[in-house]
Every structure is written in structure tokens, then in C-alpha cells.
Amino acid sequence: MERSGHWRASVRTADGWRTVRGPRGPYAAASMLEWGSITKGLVGTTACLTLGVERPVVHYLPGVPDAEMTVADLIHHTSGLPRLPATMRDRLFADPYREAVGVPLDLAAAVPVTSRGQFVYSNLGYALLGAVLDEVHGDWFAAVRQHVFEPAGISSAVLVPAPAERVVPKFLGRAITPWALGESSFAAAGGVWSTFDDLCRYADWALEAGAGGARTVSWQRRGASTWINGEVRAAGAVIANAAGATAVVHALAKAPHAADRIATELIKHEVRRR
């Protein structure tokens, strides 16, 4: 188990929730955490509950070049769309989403690079799914609030929290500026911020017994394990469920997927305790 660095974690078993590491360091000074691509779970569920998922995307957005691509393809990352458009390459130090702030999503850029049906993880696909929800509901975030946040008892979620409320790591004494995802046209792919307690509430709601597959439609599965994670500029978050235990972890300024590794160790520890 990683002991150094800044992270929070709780575990839920049949006995309920137990805090593994509470708020300390940056987590004690602020409350809003980047959920990153856990946002996709919220958006995928809302799409499943409110859209005809087998309908072509062009039914909702006529400007999309591929007439065969369906809403389900966007949800399941089988549209063939790349992770980001060709004009938005990842950069080592620069924010790839800054140029998309205040700029509508370019539907003409939604051109597949692989065959439809093949899994290719795509932030572009979820940005497009957000645009579909905007078209149908007027605002994708308001639709998520109605169909996920309110039923789950989540009240803190926003796209652009006040700087003083953000839990962020520091480098050489200065706060690391988060990516501008929540302000951009890619917000539906990873822009949600909320509290750690609300992340646990989402875990409860999504994994509720008998809830049906729509609540975890954008999650990943391997055998009996189910999880959803998010990696942003200097933070990571994960909800992982396996062997009758659920681990919720948020970590700052660690190696990629550190939160996932911590969650895995926590679940293994629960299994060994039995």
C-alpha cells in the first residue's frame, strides 16, 4: 500500500463504509475534487436513460460526417473516433483542452480513424455525446443533474469550481493549474468536479443491487470486477468493485493510475481480512 503523497480513500463492505485515509494536506484545505473521466459514467447513464441509443448520431446532429455511427457507439467507445481530434494533440506540458474553451465542438472533426465496432477510447466520442444531450435537453449537465445527481443525492457537482475550493497538488510551492476540461466543449468527457463524499454517493447509486446495467454502462469490466476511473493533469480517481468490496480513491500528483493501484490493494486487503 502506498503511504506517501496525498490521497483519500474509503472502502465499503457488507458492514458499510470505512474511511481508510481521511482529509489531510490539500484535502483538508478544500473540498472539490476532479472526477476526470468518471464523468463519462454520468453522461453514459444519462444517454441510456433519455436517448434512443441505437439511433444514428446524425438523427440528433446532422453535421456529423459518419451516417452509421450510433449513440451506443459513442457510449461504448466503438465509434472508431480517436481519443482527440487530429487538431488537438496531447502535449507534455500544455493543456490540450484550453483551445476548446468557449469554442463549439467541431462536428466535422468527428471522423472515425478505425472501423466501427472496434474499441477505441475516445474523449471526442463523449464530447459528441454531450453535444447530443445538449441538442435533446438544452444542456447536458442539467440532464445529468436530473437523471443521476439528484437520484444519487449528489449536490456539490459543478464544472468550474472556485479556485479556492479545488483540491490540487503543488509543485515548487505553486498550485498546478488543472486542465480546462470543465470550461471546454469536451466537458462531457471529463469535466465534473465534486466532493469525495459525493463520489462515494455515486458509487452507492451506480452499484446499488438490482439497479440495472444503465447505471454502470460506461464502466469497465473484467470477470467479476467492475470499475470506472479518471486521470487528469495531476490527479486520478477510481471507483472499483470486486469480491464484495467497493473502494473509492482519489490521488494527487502521483504516477499515472496510482489511484487504481491503491484501490486494488484495498480490495485485496479486505479479501485477506475475511
Side-chain angles (χ1 to χ4, degrees):
M1 176 69 62
E2 299 191 40
R3 298 296 178 186
S4 62
H6 300 297
W7 52 278
R8 283 200 67 178
S10 289
V11 172
R12 188 191 67 187
T13 64
D15 298 325
W17 284 101
R18 184 181 81 256
T19 299
V20 176
R21 178 176 280 202
R24 62 179 75 170
Y27 294 100
S31 62
M32 298 297 284
L33 316 180
E34 281 190 276
W35 286 21
S37 285
I38 291 177
T39 303
K40 293 181 174 70
L42 318 171
V43 173
T45 291
T46 302
C48 280
L49 294 177
T50 66
L51 303 177
V53 296
E54 297 305 327
R55 282 183 172 174
V57 176
V58 293
H59 173 82
Y60 300 101
L61 299 174
V64 172
D66 187 339
E68 302 298 320
M69 180 191 304
T70 67
V71 171
D73 286 325
L74 300 181
I75 293 169
H76 299 297
H77 300 283
T78 56
S79 64
L81 293 174
R83 183 175 180 274
L84 291 174
T87 55
M88 275 181 64
R89 296 300 182 190
D90 286 336
R91 300 173 178 87
L92 183 59
F93 297 108
D95 178 354
Y97 301 99
R98 179 62 58 184
E99 64 193 64
V101 173
V103 179
L105 187 66
D106 181 7
L107 301 184
V111 178
V113 294
T114 60
S115 300
R116 181 170 167 253
Q118 179 180 340
F119 180 87
V120 177
Y121 191 85
S122 180
N123 283 347
L124 174 57
Y126 264 79
L128 192 60
L129 188 58
V132 172
L133 290 170
D134 281 342
E135 182 67 23
V136 173
H137 298 287
D139 177 40
W140 72 265
F141 191 72
V144 167
R145 182 181 297 112
Q146 177 182 353
H147 294 282
V148 179
F149 291 149
E150 291 178 359
I154 293 169
S155 59
S156 68
V158 297
L159 293 176
V160 187
E165 296 177 340
R166 300 173 181 176
V167 178
V168 295
K170 292 184 178 180
F171 180 69
L172 299 178
R174 298 182 62 182
I176 296 175
T177 302
W179 283 337
L181 255 170
E183 304 167 63
S184 77
S185 51
F186 283 74
V192 165
W193 293 68
S194 191
T195 65
F196 186 83
D197 287 344
D198 274 348
L199 189 58
C200 293
R201 290 186 181 95
Y202 174 54
D204 276 336
W205 182 81
L207 297 168
E208 184 179 12
R215 293 192 189 179
T216 56
V217 69
S218 302
W219 293 42
Q220 301 178 68
R221 291 172 174 80
R222 183 176 299 158
S225 300
T226 305
W227 73 96
I228 188 167
N229 58 6
E231 293 283 326
V232 284
R233 186 174 204 166
V238 63
I239 302 169
N241 177 264
T246 300
V248 175
V249 180
H250 191 275
L252 293 178
K254 284 181 169 287
H257 304 293
D260 300 60
R261 290 193 294 275
I262 294 170
T264 299
E265 288 302 314
L266 290 174
I267 291 174
K268 288 180 178 178
H269 177 70
E270 290 301 320
V271 171
R272 289 193 296 267
R273 292 179 65 202
R274 295 171 187 168

